[in-house]
Amino acid sequence: MKLHTYFQSSASYRVRIAMNLKGIAAEYSYHDLTKDKHLDAEYAKINPQRMVPSLEVKGEVLAQSIAIMEYLEETHPNPAILPKEPLARAHARAIALLIAGDISAINNLKIRKFLKAHFGASDHFVKTQWIQHWIADGFTALESFLTRSPHTGTYCAGEYPTIADCCLVPQMFNARRFELDLTPYPTIVRISNACEQLDAFKKAHPSQQADAA
């Protein structure tokens, strides 16, 4: 397997966590998103979206972090990153998609570049208004989901980390990076702190990656 990644990419961070939880080794190929290395023609041959992560496996290329993690779950089922019980599985998937689709996707680097290039947005606006607003919007909903759900345990969907936690921790990294006040989200903070004590999460952290600045 070869994982195309970037140390600060939230989506890549998710997949690194999942692979670590499952003990899956892969060759890493690094793409500096800030220097547009992922936009060249060679990488477009691998992933037409020119985004990370991409996973090369068995002569094929998988894109999209959620799809990659689902593939890893199906091909390496133990240890699991999805609960066995159907409602709990749906709960874990819903959290993962809330974070990946409704928070991270509208805050990623290409969106921030577009805001600056086409709407004249300043760094201050992007970091303190755009990013903080959308993380807070998503975290407010997520905190409510977690506090009322019977499936919430030590982790987002029970007593072992799931695909939901793989998505949560990278988003918490970004929340701290962009100085969001986390006081309103005690359940999110508690779960993230529990995850961050585990080696699989520590090894996936951006600061531990070979391409970290």
Side-chain angles (χ1 to χ4, degrees):
M1 289 186 185
K2 178 187 283 189
L3 180 67
H4 295 267
T5 181
Y6 175 59
F7 78 106
Q8 280 189 336
S9 159
S10 296
S12 299
Y13 191 175
R14 296 169 204 147
V15 173
R16 295 196 302 262
I17 294 169
M19 296 182 82
N20 290 346
L21 285 169
K22 290 180 171 296
I24 300 171
E27 175 188 354
Y28 280 13
S29 178
Y30 302 100
H31 302 265
D32 189 339
L33 304 189
T34 65
K35 296 179 180 177
D36 293 339
K37 297 295 185 182
H38 59 303
L39 300 180
D40 61 40
E42 286 304 308
Y43 188 58
K45 294 176 184 177
I46 297 170
N47 183 342
Q49 276 194 292
R50 305 183 189 201
M51 297 172 66
V52 293
S54 301
L55 184 67
E56 293 189 60
V57 55
K58 297 182 179 180
E60 297 189 37
V61 177
L62 300 178
Q64 296 292 336
S65 61
I66 301 296
I68 291 171
M69 290 189 287
E70 292 269 8
Y71 168 80
L72 296 175
E73 178 74 348
E74 291 171 1
T75 57
H76 299 77
N78 294 306
I81 58 168
L82 281 170
K84 292 181 180 179
E85 197 275 320
L87 282 173
R89 287 171 78 89
H91 176 71
R93 285 184 168 121
I95 291 172
L97 290 168
L98 185 159
I99 294 167
D102 295 335
I103 304 176
S104 181
I106 55 178
N107 279 338
N108 69 24
L109 185 59
K110 73 175 183 178
I111 301 297
R112 297 183 340 240
K113 285 184 175 180
F114 190 85
L115 287 170
K116 293 177 185 179
H118 296 278
F119 294 96
S122 65
D123 279 338
H124 177 76
F125 171 83
V126 170
K127 292 178 181 178
T128 63
Q129 292 177 258
W130 182 271
I131 293 176
Q132 288 184 1
H133 170 80
W134 290 115
I135 298 176
D137 180 78
F139 272 14
T140 298
L142 178 57
E143 180 73 16
S144 180
F145 278 128
L146 290 170
T147 54
R148 75 187 192 188
S149 172
H151 305 291
T152 304
T154 301
Y155 305 103
C156 286
E159 296 307 312
Y160 60 88
T162 67
I163 193 171
D165 304 285
C166 293
C167 291
L168 177 62
V169 167
Q171 193 57 60
M172 279 292 288
F173 172 81
N174 280 337
R176 294 185 181 112
R177 179 183 171 201
F178 293 105
E179 300 180 341
L180 180 72
D181 179 10
L182 297 172
T183 306
Y185 318 112
T187 309
I188 291 175
V189 171
R190 174 186 64 76
I191 292 171
S192 182
N193 287 344
C195 291
E196 290 162 7
Q197 302 307 306
L198 303 177
D199 284 344
F201 288 82
K202 291 178 181 179
K203 291 176 182 177
H205 192 277
S207 65
Q208 301 303 304
Q209 305 313 300
D211 61 330

